[in-house]
Each structure stands twice: as C-alpha cells, then as structure tokens.
Amino acid sequence: MLSISGKPDPRPVLLAAERDPQQIGAILTAYGLHDIDQADRNLQAMAGDPHHRRQLAEILPILLDAISRTADPDQALNHWERLLGEVTRSSFLDYLRSSPRMLDLLCTIFGNSDALAFTVIRDPMLVYWLSEDAVLSKPPARKELESALHKSLAHLTVKEMKLEALRRFRRREMLRIGVRDLLRLSPVPETTGSLSDLASLLIHAAYEIVDADLRQQYGVPMHKTKQGRWVETGFAVMGMGKLGGHELNYSSDVDLIYVYASHDGETKAPRGRQTMKPGAVGISNEEYFEILSRELTKALVEQTREGYVFRVDLRLRAEGSVGQLARSLDDYQKYYATRGVVWERLALLKAWPVAGSMEVGLAFLKMVKPFIFGPPKDKIDLSGALAIVQDVRGVKDMIDAKMADRGHERRNVKLGIGGIREIEFLVQTVQVIAGKKVAGLLDRGTLGALNRFVRYKLISTQERDDLTAAYVFLRDVEHKLQMVQDFQTHALPETAEELERCAIRGGYGTDDRAQSVARFRADHERYTGLVNRFFRAFYYDAKTSPVLKATMRLVTSAK
C-alpha cells in the first residue's frame, strides 16, 4: 500500500502485529533514511504506549514525507524523539494532527539545522509562537523588536536576570530569522539586515544594563567642556565589519570598537545620591570606560544555561588584541594619524554606531574621514590609486597563502578564491580612492555600493547584476553552513554526504540529490570564477583595469 506521496505506507512500522525487518527497512529507506536501526528505535521511542502509538501512526505518513525532503532525515528523527520527550505527548500529537503546516515546519527545522532544532526542543512553547500569523509572514520590524524587548525587561530589576532575558530574546529571534530563511521567505539582504538589527538592539540593551549598574557603583563619568562646564561623557559602540555594514551572518562574531568623548574627567556621584561602592567616586574616565568595556564584552559573550548574546571580536580596535579596550576620540585621532594601516582604512568604511551615544559615534565617523580618504587638500592621482590597489592586493595575497596552507583556497566561500572578501575588497578599494571627491559612492553595504557604482558608470548594469548574484549566492551558502551548528564556518564540507546536505539546505531540491549536488557545484564554480576574474582584472592588471580608469576619470572630473 502506498501513501499519498507515492512512497510505501509507513504505518506498519508502528502498528503491524508482526514486525518484518525487511519490510521496515524498505519502508524507511524509501523516506531517505540511512541508519534504519536507529530510525526504527527513534520511532518506537516516539510512539510509547498504545494510545500515543496510534496518534503518531496517524501523522506518520506526513512526518516521514516531510523529513525526506530535508538535508538530513536521520537527524530529523533524532530531534523528533527529543522533542516528544519534552512535551505532553498526547495533546502535542493531537495539535500536530490538526496543524499539518506546523508538522511540516518542524520537520524542515529538524532536518536542516541542529541549532534551530535545539532551540525548539529546549522551549517547546516556541512551536505555538511560530504558528502565529505575524511571526513568519513578515520580517520583524526594528520598532517591534524594541517594543518586545522593552516589555521582556520591564519587570526585571537585577542585572543578571536582565542579561538572561537578552539571551532568551536572542534565541527566539534567531529562530524566527532562521526559519524564514529555510522556508525561502526571506531573501539574503533581508536576512542579513534582520540579523544586524537584532545584534544592534541587543548590544545597546546590554550596554544600558551594564552602564546603569556601573554608575550605581562608580558614579557618572563627566568631563569639562572648553567653556569649563562639567558635562556627562558619552560612550559609543561602533559596529564594524558586517555588523556596521548591516549585513551580519548567522554565526558572526560582532566586530566592535569602544570609544568615548573625552580622556579627561572623572566619575561624579549623581546629585543627591550616594554610590554603592565606598571611595569609588572620582575614578578617571579612562578607568571607568575600560571597566565598562570589559563588563559589556563579558555580558555579551558569557555563556549561561540560556546561551549567550553575541560573540565579540575587538581586534579592529587601535593596536588590535594588545590595545586598551576603549579609547577617547582624541586618542583614536592620534592613533590613526600616526599608526593606522591600509586594512584599517577599508574596515572603517563600514563603521557605524550601534549602541550608546549616537553623538559620540558620529563624531568618531567624522574624525576618521581624513584617515580613510586622506587629508582634505591632498589630491589622489593614478600613482596614489595604484599604491592603494597594491596595498590591498598585498593583504589579499596573505589571506590566499593562509587559505592554501589549510587547503581551503577553493572551499572557503568567504576568504577563498572568488569568495565574498574579493567583492568586498573591490568595493572598498574604489571607495577609498574616490570617496573623498565623490561621496555618493559611499555605502556601508556591499550591494548598495555596487548599485552606486552603476549610477556613476564605474561598472555596467550587467557587471553589477553578476557580482550581486555571486555575492547573494555566496552569502546564502555561508548562512546554510553556519545555521547547522551555530559555528562560525565558511568552508564547504569535504565529504560528499555533507556537501549534499549543504546543497539541499540551499534549496537545490531532493528529488535527485546527486543532480542537486552537481548543480550546486556548477553554480559555485561559476560564481567564484566570475568574481575572481573581476578581482584579478582590477588588482593584477590595475593599469589597464576599466574600473580603475573609470574611477580616476570620476575623481579628476569631480569638483
């Protein structure tokens, strides 16, 4: 007997009076399962007593057909067994019978992403949240997220409890974003934008929680203006990299720089109030903001039973991993004037304030402009442009050498040959060369910048479309690699089995899995080849590069 899908009716696996191992093997194999003994054990454990067994058998054809269309049907059954161990089985199976849409959705999650699956398993009430119409039908608006987060924090007074609420909020919203992506409801730019909004919101909330606690202990950091008036000293968290560009990954570290308004000054007790820490008032701004930066970083990265908020990378700060965590605007100005290097110029193109004082953040952006683009009166000529191109090529050559040492030069979708970084470097190099004269070229996002390049006739519409398609493909692959275990990985799998799963997560279909892998490989080779040809034409044949020629014409014609 066949099920609706044309596959064997799977109900005998649970209901047959006499179990035939060959029949069970044939049935389960037809649904894409490989470890037949384990799959059978999963199903028997899921069934439990006779009543639950009949309930599960009723939905089993839909369940097995749904997992057969996922990247890893075997793992999906493992997750189903775990989930049914965490719920009231009878009522939950009744719910699934009445809601085939949610049954199919859970199969999609369980067969494609362990990280998302464990989010559901640890909090099964999220199943009902996902079923609400507005949760998956549209991307979460920033204001809606702010309101929801405020509501979840409103009744809490203890710092640690507030931070745990941030971790729960992050977990829930990552589930929403990940499911919308898996269902192909959210294009790549929307997904990266939603991830960036969530990160910015949580970093700002963590900053407010930590800062409020430290002010209770040390007082308010203040400094004197030029007019001799004491004012509060502002602090900003600058988002760098993909966070600053509003194009964050699933499992990205957030690249941050901490900056404050004035090196001078000290903390003062709020009027009419005492600090909790005896003798704490009067510590220097430098000390206060170093403590704040350390505590904020800890709040974001610390792993508790609720997870973590975000992993943080502070190596883009002045002096990298050996420098102070926070510096004043003046300190940063001195650093970039004397010690800044070319890769920092490129990195700062994406800088944007994501938490703390917007005023301080915008002051930082204004301050770094001469470092990024050169002093206002300096003119950029061809030799200067070629020197920038050569410097960036040198950075990429070092990256290529590292990738070759790891055997990742063709597998790494971010740093390998024809990868994401080659598109980013191209965009940022043009912006550094021409951005001072033609501010209209500047866009923190890679895709936005490519659109601007077309507007200024640096590249053709077709070239923009080709690079955009390649960027979106590579970012989508990156997401599908990272959403499995919430690991920061960028390399395509080495095994054929894992590569097949990656292709299925990317939407290449399950009707003919071998054909799906072949199409995925062909697309990967086509897009990386296209990107690398464009990259080499600009960096290895710079003097004859049409893009560089068009850029220099634009610079010389701009007033």
Side-chain angles (χ1 to χ4, degrees):
M1 185 175 177
L2 298 179
S3 68
I4 297 172
S5 66
K7 298 183 178 75
D9 183 351
R11 287 174 292 184
V13 175
L14 296 178
L15 300 179
E18 294 185 14
R19 289 169 55 78
D20 178 352
Q22 280 191 320
Q23 181 193 28
I24 289 170
I27 290 171
L28 297 181
T29 299
Y31 287 93
L33 293 154
H34 293 98
D35 189 340
I36 302 305
D37 290 341
Q38 179 59 46
D40 188 32
R41 285 194 295 272
N42 288 141
L43 290 168
Q44 301 310 317
M46 289 161 63
D49 66 34
H51 174 63
H52 296 150
R53 183 172 292 268
R54 287 190 297 274
Q55 285 182 295
L56 179 60
E58 195 172 348
I59 64 171
L60 193 59
I62 299 173
L63 188 153
L64 290 183
D65 188 54
I67 67 168
S68 75
R69 299 190 303 271
T70 68
D72 193 345
D74 291 272
Q75 185 69 313
L77 271 190
N78 287 329
H79 290 315
W80 269 114
E81 182 185 341
R82 293 184 183 103
L83 177 64
L84 289 178
E86 299 294 328
V87 298
T88 305
R89 199 167 305 197
S90 183
S91 59
F92 193 74
L93 289 171
D94 269 345
Y95 169 73
L96 293 175
R97 181 178 57 80
S98 66
S99 182
R101 171 179 165 269
M102 288 307 297
L103 175 58
D104 188 76
L105 176 62
L106 288 172
C107 289
T108 299
I109 295 170
F110 290 173
N112 288 300
S113 170
D114 290 348
L116 297 179
F118 283 121
T119 296
V120 172
I121 291 162
R122 70 178 296 168
D123 186 2
M125 293 305 292
L126 288 172
V127 174
Y128 305 104
W129 176 70
L130 285 173
S131 71
E132 296 174 15
D133 286 341
V135 171
L136 295 179
S137 61
K138 58 180 182 175
R142 175 74 181 254
K143 287 192 179 299
E144 290 174 12
L145 287 178
E146 286 176 355
S147 176
L149 182 58
H150 178 75
K151 194 179 294 184
S152 70
L153 295 172
H155 65 288
L156 301 173
T157 55
V158 179
K159 171 190 167 187
E160 286 72 20
M161 297 299 291
K162 289 181 179 182
L163 293 175
E164 289 288 57
L166 296 190
R167 296 178 185 110
R168 285 192 296 273
F169 190 86
R170 184 243 185 209
R171 206 169 61 232
R172 188 191 78 172
E173 291 302 325
M174 289 294 284
L175 176 65
R176 184 209 306 248
I177 294 168
V179 170
R180 280 181 51 79
D181 185 8
L182 278 176
L183 295 178
R184 318 301 283 185
L185 296 173
S186 177
V188 167
E190 185 181 283
T191 298
T192 57
S194 294
L195 290 165
S196 303
D197 283 341
L198 177 62
S200 300
L201 182 66
L202 290 173
I203 293 167
H204 183 71
Y207 155 71
E208 290 188 319
I209 292 165
V210 171
D211 189 50
D213 183 68
L214 292 179
R215 287 175 182 229
Q216 287 286 328
Q217 298 180 54
Y218 297 102
V220 179
M222 303 189 78
H223 67 278
K224 278 186 178 181
T225 64
K226 290 177 181 178
Q227 293 74 33
R229 187 167 57 90
W230 283 97
V231 295
E232 192 172 316
T233 306
F235 173 88
V237 181
M238 304 302 298
M240 305 290 287
K242 287 186 168 61
L243 174 59
H246 205 241
E247 44 192 26
L248 199 62
N249 288 336
Y250 275 108
S251 198
S252 284
D253 294 351
V254 286
D255 294 304
L256 305 178
I257 287 178
Y258 300 134
V259 61
Y260 54 97
S262 176
H263 191 85
D264 299 322
E266 60 188 26
T267 59
K268 294 182 176 295
R271 194 170 295 174
R273 283 170 54 195
Q274 295 292 320
T275 54
M276 292 165 61
K277 204 165 187 175
V281 173
I283 67 169
S284 68
N285 278 353
E286 181 181 11
E287 186 178 357
Y288 179 86
F289 288 115
E290 195 70 9
I291 294 169
L292 172 59
S293 299
R294 185 176 65 243
E295 291 300 310
L296 174 55
T297 304
K298 180 184 174 185
L300 292 171
V301 305
E302 189 170 33
Q303 185 99 20
T304 72
R305 59 187 180 85
E306 296 291 357
Y308 62 98
V309 183
F310 275 97
R311 293 186 294 266
V312 174
D313 190 336
L314 300 175
R315 289 175 295 176
L316 295 183
R317 71 186 189 272
E319 297 184 68
S321 55
V322 299
Q324 296 168 258
L325 296 184
R327 290 178 185 247
S328 68
L329 288 168
D330 282 348
D331 283 349
Y332 262 112
Q333 187 168 27
K334 290 170 187 170
Y335 169 80
Y336 290 129
T338 58
R339 301 174 65 186
V341 294
V342 68
W343 66 261
E344 289 176 302
R345 296 173 70 181
L346 269 61
L348 286 166
L349 285 164
K350 287 185 176 292
W352 188 254
V354 295
S357 166
M358 180 61 73
E359 183 182 356
V360 172
L362 294 177
F364 178 85
L365 294 180
K366 183 179 179 181
M367 178 269 292
V368 298
K369 272 189 175 180
F371 168 63
I372 298 172
F373 303 114
K377 293 183 179 179
D378 281 10
K379 290 184 179 180
I380 185 80
D381 56 15
L382 181 59
S383 63
L386 289 171
I388 293 169
V389 170
Q390 198 61 36
D391 282 344
V392 177
R393 178 182 160 180
V395 174
K396 184 59 168 61
D397 286 345
M398 287 190 288
I399 293 172
D400 287 347
K402 285 183 181 178
M403 291 298 102
D405 287 345
R406 298 175 190 172
H408 283 196
E409 63 265 44
R410 295 288 176 184
R411 289 175 47 218
N412 194 300
V413 296
K414 177 183 178 182
L415 300 176
I417 294 170
I420 296 162
R421 186 52 49 85
E422 291 190 0
I423 304 174
E424 292 173 337
F425 273 174
L426 175 69
V427 165
Q428 292 161 2
T429 302
V430 170
Q431 289 177 326
V432 166
I433 291 170
K436 181 170 63 176
K437 283 283 191 177
V438 190
L441 285 174
L442 301 179
D443 192 303
R444 301 192 322 276
T446 304
L447 297 183
L450 290 174
N451 286 331
R452 290 170 183 258
F453 287 9
V454 170
R455 199 178 310 157
Y456 284 93
K457 296 182 170 52
L458 301 186
I459 58 176
S460 69
T461 302
Q462 185 62 55
E463 289 169 329
R464 185 270 317 273
D465 292 347
D466 287 345
L467 289 171
T468 296
Y471 180 83
V472 168
F473 170 83
L474 293 167
R475 292 300 307 274
D476 192 41
V477 173
E478 188 177 46
H479 288 170
K480 299 310 182 288
L481 292 170
Q482 294 183 350
M483 68 161 39
V484 182
Q485 298 283 2
D486 191 22
F487 287 162
Q488 192 185 24
T489 180
H490 309 278
L492 292 177
E494 291 187 88
T495 69
E497 186 179 45
E498 285 300 324
L499 191 65
E500 175 189 292
R501 290 171 182 164
C502 183
I504 303 306
R505 286 185 202 98
Y508 280 81
T510 55
D511 290 342
D512 184 336
R513 290 183 176 235
Q515 185 60 33
S516 294
V517 174
R519 287 193 292 115
F520 173 75
R521 283 184 183 275
D523 284 348
H524 177 257
E525 289 176 14
R526 176 163 58 90
Y527 284 126
T528 52
L530 181 156
V531 170
N532 190 243
R533 284 192 298 275
F534 211 94
F535 180 84
R536 292 185 70 85
F538 186 83
Y539 286 96
Y540 288 79
D541 302 307
K543 289 182 180 178
T544 59
S545 164
V547 176
L548 187 59
K549 286 181 178 179
T551 302
M552 294 313 299
R553 282 196 300 271
L554 184 63
V555 169
T556 54
S557 65
K559 293 181 180 179

